Amino acid sequence: MKESINITIVLGSAREERISEKVAKFVLEKTSLLDEVTVSLVDVKDFLFGRTIPPWQKDERTDIWKEIALKSDGFIFVVPEYNHGYPGEFKILLDSAHDEYIKKPALLVTVSDGPWGGARMAENLKPILNNFGIISLPSVLHTSFADKKFSDGKNPDDKYQEQLQKSLNQLVEYARSIN
């Protein structure tokens, strides 16, 4: 029997009424169905440090995140696009650790209520993830028109769900080959 893979989903926005929360919960539900995968959801709302805390600085507020990141075999970052970029609170969380990310794969799930699905933000974020030693999956799951796709408990169309499943399988494959 294969060892269980630990996947951490990070909800990358602390905004009120964030549509990315619905996307993250849907991704959590689908990831939970994978064999031999343990999954947890981390909300940046629970890590609002108020300022950037460098990874080398000892600070009990960042210790919890560092421990989660260390125990993770891979990540799913569910991040909305705000003005072609990513939320500051997500970057502050990322910056609070470093070595804990090295050689860990990540699936980037972008969220936007527009037609591009967060593609512009993904282009900004991928080099930053790579700088941490995170192995970004080649594909990004773009969630365009998220406000419509996830309105009123509605599930996204079959094509989106197929893309998600393919991306999840790829993430698990990467995590298994590295760990």
Side-chain angles (χ1 to χ4, degrees):
M1 184 169 136
K2 296 177 185 175
E3 225 177 280
S4 184
I5 296 291
N6 295 315
I7 302 294
T8 299
I9 299 171
V10 178
L11 172 52
S13 171
R15 275 192 185 176
E16 295 298 320
E17 300 179 24
R18 55 202 169 161
I19 202 76
S20 54
E21 183 173 7
K22 292 179 182 179
V23 177
K25 286 181 178 178
F26 183 78
V27 171
L28 173 66
E29 177 187 322
K30 295 301 180 185
T31 308
S32 298
L33 298 175
L34 297 173
D35 290 335
E36 296 154 355
V37 171
T38 303
V39 62
S40 58
L41 177 64
V42 170
D43 190 335
V44 294
K45 262 188 184 179
D46 298 329
F47 295 92
L48 296 178
F49 305 135
R51 65 177 177 84
T52 302
I53 301 170
W56 60 84
Q57 184 178 335
K58 183 72 178 144
D59 191 302
E60 64 187 31
R61 295 174 294 173
T62 61
D63 288 345
I64 295 169
W65 170 243
K66 286 180 182 179
E67 187 64 25
I68 291 168
L70 185 63
K71 290 181 178 178
S72 298
D73 296 311
F75 299 96
I76 300 172
F77 297 123
V78 180
V79 185
E81 179 178 292
Y82 296 158
N83 300 311
H84 299 216
Y86 42 84
E89 58 268 24
F90 178 70
K91 182 69 162 72
I92 289 172
L93 179 68
L94 278 178
D95 284 347
S96 68
H98 189 277
D99 294 347
E100 295 82 359
Y101 303 131
I102 295 174
K103 293 185 181 178
K104 295 187 181 177
L107 167 61
L108 184 54
V109 178
T110 61
V111 180
S112 172
D113 60 4
W116 303 110
R120 297 167 295 198
M121 179 274 296
E123 293 304 312
N124 290 321
L125 184 55
K126 276 190 135 194
I128 292 166
L129 297 178
N130 294 338
N131 184 62
F132 283 113
I134 295 171
I135 301 165
S136 298
L137 294 187
S139 61
V140 173
L141 182 61
H142 298 290
T143 311
S144 56
F145 303 111
D147 54 336
K148 292 177 182 77
K149 270 188 175 115
F150 289 90
S151 66
D152 301 323
K154 185 173 145 185
N155 282 334
D157 58 43
D158 289 344
K159 183 178 178 184
Y160 182 86
Q161 291 192 51
E162 288 169 16
Q163 290 171 330
L164 172 59
Q165 190 62 51
K166 183 179 176 182
S167 297
L168 292 175
N169 292 342
Q170 188 179 50
L171 177 63
V172 170
E173 182 182 328
Y174 270 58
R176 285 207 188 288
S177 68
I178 295 167
N179 296 306

